[in-house]
Amino acid sequence: MSSNTAGQVIRCKAAVAWEAGKPLEIEEVEVAPPQKSEVRLKILFTSLCHTDVYFWEAKGQTPLFPRIFGHEAGGIVESVGEGVTDLKPGDHVLPVFTGECQQCRHCKSEESNMCDLLRINTDRGVMIHDGQTRFSKDGKPIYHFVGTSTFSEYTVVHSGCVAKIDPQAPLDKVCVLSCGISTGLGATLNVAKPTKGSTVAIFGLGAVGLAAAEGARIAGASRVIGIDLNPSRFNDAKKFGVTEFVNPKDYDKPVQQVIAEMTDGGVDRSVECTGNVNAMISAFECVHDGWGVAVLVGVPNKDDAFKTHPMNLLNERTLKGTFFGNYKPKTDLPSVVGKYMNKELELEKFITHQVPFSEINKAFEYMLKGEGLRCMITMEH
């Protein structure tokens, strides 16, 4: 990749959200060169995750517009800013909404991936280094989103939020590992840790829940029970290792009771991927006493409270939470890509739609209608 653009402002196309809930507009924007500890990436593929839609609708958050959304993507390093030594132009990378500074107590801890410096911040629309944006149009700033802003042909990202991966890996497949798929997969493999032959319940069969099921399949679970209110999801879920289905609407008793009856007292592990607080409680109460572990992945509403009888814990059930599947982005994502490359992990089945960048609004329509899992958006270079 020629670095004749290094140090220069790049003019390119970006999909700009000018206001909440209005279709994105493809605009020519200016992308400034990377500053200290930053890299500028050429985005080749990006996909739409529900988090983008949630903040674009801006119903429950502080609205910040104009903004360039997007955080699930794959690309190539175009140039690097001062002090960046671990990345160089031409590297194949995944930008990630959370980072790894490699210096803080979290990064130095074997147990945590919640970097003090680069942990997700949905309110911040500027770069950490100088509090400025790297995007502008006609001299006016356009705000960033979760430090990635991948709905642009070029973007600037903190180097701690960039995972360098195998250049042989197809970016149009592995880009889904930069958010939702790793979150669900890691929740099972890194946190729930089901043993071979065990039983696992998955609450919510969207992309993250199906990735959690994929983790259970990889771990060799004997039964994977999928719980969802939408029966149309049940057929597709079989491809991800789900063996049985429960729709809570079909019963007049709590779903945790239904699961306990199906499994002789409860499942060994459960993973909650809906963000609904009642599903969280069910996920915890449906695991077997003595050894059951429940893992919460879904993001709750701000006023939610988790209520359960303390006896459920005293009877030796464990409740855990996870953020991005407990993966450290720079350290761990290369090996998750490796799982795909050695055919242990299947990614193709997550990608249900494809659109060119000029039709990015179609991806939003699919998501809002609940159609498919991931829509791959191809940047037209």
Side-chain angles (χ1 to χ4, degrees), residues 177-199:
L177 291 172
S178 61
C179 177
I181 309 311
S182 294
T183 296
L185 187 73
T188 302
L189 294 179
N190 297 337
V191 189
K193 296 181 180 165
T195 53
K196 200 170 168 35
S198 60
T199 56

Side-chain angles (χ1 to χ4, degrees), residues 48 64 90-91 165 177 179 233 253 269 322 343:
L48 180 64
L64 185 60
D91 283 347
I165 60 160
L177 291 172
C179 177
R233 287 181 158 172
K253 56 186 162 191
R269 302 288 186 264
T322 176
K343 303 202 163 34

Side-chain angles (χ1 to χ4, degrees), residues 39-47 70-78 86-88 90-100 118 146-150 155-183 185 324 327-341 345 347 351 376:
V39 294
R40 187 161 56 183
L41 309 178
K42 179 181 187 175
I43 299 296
L44 300 182
F45 300 96
T46 184
S47 49
H71 65 281
E72 208 172 78
I76 295 176
V77 175
E78 173 271 336
D86 62 328
L87 295 161
K88 62 184 188 308
D91 283 347
H92 285 225
V93 296
L94 302 178
V96 187
F97 63 88
T98 185
E100 186 182 350
L118 300 170
V146 297
T148 51
S149 292
T150 59
T155 187
V156 177
V157 180
H158 192 287
S159 65
C161 297
V162 177
K164 180 179 170 180
I165 60 160
D166 179 353
Q168 300 299 308
L171 286 169
D172 61 335
K173 306 292 189 292
V174 297
C175 83
V176 298
L177 291 172
S178 61
C179 177
I181 309 311
S182 294
T183 296
L185 187 73
F324 192 53
Y327 288 119
K328 293 180 188 273
K330 290 176 88 75
T331 304
D332 297 332
L333 280 186
S335 64
V336 185
V337 169
K339 281 188 199 298
Y340 168 75
M341 295 300 278
L345 164 66
L347 294 177
I351 301 162
M376 190 57 57

Side-chain angles (χ1 to χ4, degrees), residues 18-31:
W18 290 101
E19 49 184 307
K22 293 279 161 60
L24 307 188
E25 293 187 32
I26 305 285
E27 305 277 3
E28 186 177 87
V29 299
E30 297 191 335
V31 185

Side-chain angles (χ1 to χ4, degrees), residues 115-364:
C115 175
D116 279 329
L117 181 69
L118 300 170
R119 184 182 307 192
I120 187 170
N121 182 328
T122 54
D123 288 337
R124 187 174 60 228
V126 294
M127 299 305 286
I128 293 174
H129 171 61
D130 58 3
Q132 304 291 312
T133 69
R134 301 287 174 262
F135 298 112
S136 59
K137 181 168 172 64
D138 304 327
K140 296 191 177 67
I142 297 175
Y143 294 107
H144 296 248
F145 178 63
V146 297
T148 51
S149 292
T150 59
F151 293 165
S152 175
E153 291 176 327
Y154 288 86
T155 187
V156 177
V157 180
H158 192 287
S159 65
C161 297
V162 177
K164 180 179 170 180
I165 60 160
D166 179 353
Q168 300 299 308
L171 286 169
D172 61 335
K173 306 292 189 292
V174 297
C175 83
V176 298
L177 291 172
S178 61
C179 177
I181 309 311
S182 294
T183 296
L185 187 73
T188 302
L189 294 179
N190 297 337
V191 189
K193 296 181 180 165
T195 53
K196 200 170 168 35
S198 60
T199 56
V200 181
I202 310 284
F203 287 75
L205 299 176
V208 175
L210 292 173
E214 178 81 352
R217 180 186 73 74
I218 290 170
S222 61
R223 294 173 72 184
V224 181
I225 302 165
I227 299 102
D228 202 291
L229 296 169
N230 178 354
S232 70
R233 287 181 158 172
F234 290 164
N235 205 30
D236 282 339
K238 290 176 186 153
K239 291 181 223 162
F240 300 86
V242 176
T243 55
E244 299 154 73
F245 305 98
V246 173
N247 184 339
K249 287 195 280 203
D250 294 345
Y251 300 89
D252 49 12
K253 56 186 162 191
V255 71
Q256 51 267 49
Q257 214 174 313
V258 176
I259 293 166
E261 287 164 16
M262 288 169 68
T263 54
D264 189 22
V267 289
D268 301 312
R269 302 288 186 264
S270 73
V271 186
E272 194 289 320
C273 303
T274 71
N276 176 301
V277 71
N278 294 316
M280 294 179 190
I281 294 164
S282 299
F284 175 55
E285 294 183 353
C286 81
V287 299
H288 205 289
D289 59 7
W291 63 78
V293 178
V295 178
L296 306 186
V297 182
V299 179
N301 289 330
K302 61 181 192 305
D303 301 326
D304 284 340
F306 185 99
K307 291 188 174 139
T308 190
H309 197 282
M311 213 60 222
N312 289 322
L313 284 154
L314 297 173
N315 286 335
E316 296 174 16
R317 289 178 189 84
T318 301
L319 180 62
K320 288 183 159 187
T322 176
F323 168 71
F324 192 53
N326 277 47
Y327 288 119
K328 293 180 188 273
K330 290 176 88 75
T331 304
D332 297 332
L333 280 186
S335 64
V336 185
V337 169
K339 281 188 199 298
Y340 168 75
M341 295 300 278
N342 68 25
K343 303 202 163 34
E344 194 183 342
L345 164 66
E346 297 166 14
L347 294 177
E348 283 78 1
K349 58 197 177 185
F350 288 99
I351 301 162
T352 50
H353 295 85
Q354 284 181 305
V355 297
F357 187 41
S358 57
E359 294 173 28
I360 189 168
N361 288 303
K362 272 193 186 162
F364 280 75

